[in-house]
Amino acid sequence: MSLQLTDVLEKKSAILEIAEKYNAHSLRIFGTVSQQLNQPSCELDFLCEMDIDLGIFPVMEMEEELAELLGVQVYVFPRYLLKEEILVQALRDGIKI
């Protein structure tokens, strides 16, 4: 399945519900889907705020639930995991959910 930004935004409520379940907030879409190039993508990248003390398992579980909802591979990146230059770009170009 391919994915476009409009597909993601149509499921905003469900995405935020899943994020809340894992104590993630301030979600942003970044990467190819956020660039809105009218080219379908088969993966989706999310940037989020998440407590570092929660560890990696909530991130992995959140990725699985979002992938099931959206029908594509999903990657969730808590801010603390991104290199500075990627974080700056994701914050600049990302689309807040």
Side-chain angles (χ1 to χ4, degrees), residues 35-63:
Q35 295 169 9
Q36 302 181 51
L37 300 175
N38 292 325
Q39 297 176 352
S41 178
C42 59
E43 68 180 44
L44 181 61
D45 301 317
F46 283 102
L47 172 66
C48 70
E49 297 281 346
M50 188 178 259
D51 186 349
I52 194 169
D53 294 331
L54 295 175
I56 195 68
F57 292 111
V59 174
M60 294 167 53
E61 292 170 3
M62 185 174 155
E63 286 175 340

Side-chain angles (χ1 to χ4, degrees), residues 2 10 12 14 22 49 53 58 70 76 94:
S2 64
E10 287 174 359
K12 178 180 177 177
Y22 294 102
E49 297 281 346
D53 294 331
L70 298 166
V76 174

Side-chain angles (χ1 to χ4, degrees), residues 6-85:
T6 55
D7 301 323
V8 178
L9 296 178
E10 287 174 359
K11 297 182 180 180
K12 178 180 177 177
S13 294
I15 291 168
L16 292 175
E17 188 175 302
I18 291 169
E20 184 177 331
K21 178 179 174 180
Y22 294 102
N23 296 312
H25 55 91
S26 301
L27 262 66
R28 289 183 176 273
I29 300 168
F30 72 104
T32 57
V33 173
S34 71
Q35 295 169 9
Q36 302 181 51
L37 300 175
N38 292 325
Q39 297 176 352
S41 178
C42 59
E43 68 180 44
L44 181 61
D45 301 317
F46 283 102
L47 172 66
C48 70
E49 297 281 346
M50 188 178 259
D51 186 349
I52 194 169
D53 294 331
L54 295 175
I56 195 68
F57 292 111
V59 174
M60 294 167 53
E61 292 170 3
M62 185 174 155
E63 286 175 340
E64 286 181 25
E65 281 195 49
L66 290 170
E68 187 175 313
L69 172 70
L70 298 166
V72 296
Q73 179 69 50
V74 172
Y75 298 101
V76 174
F77 297 94
R79 280 181 70 143
Y80 63 83
L81 288 180
L82 289 180
K83 292 182 179 182
E84 185 67 26
E85 61 271 9

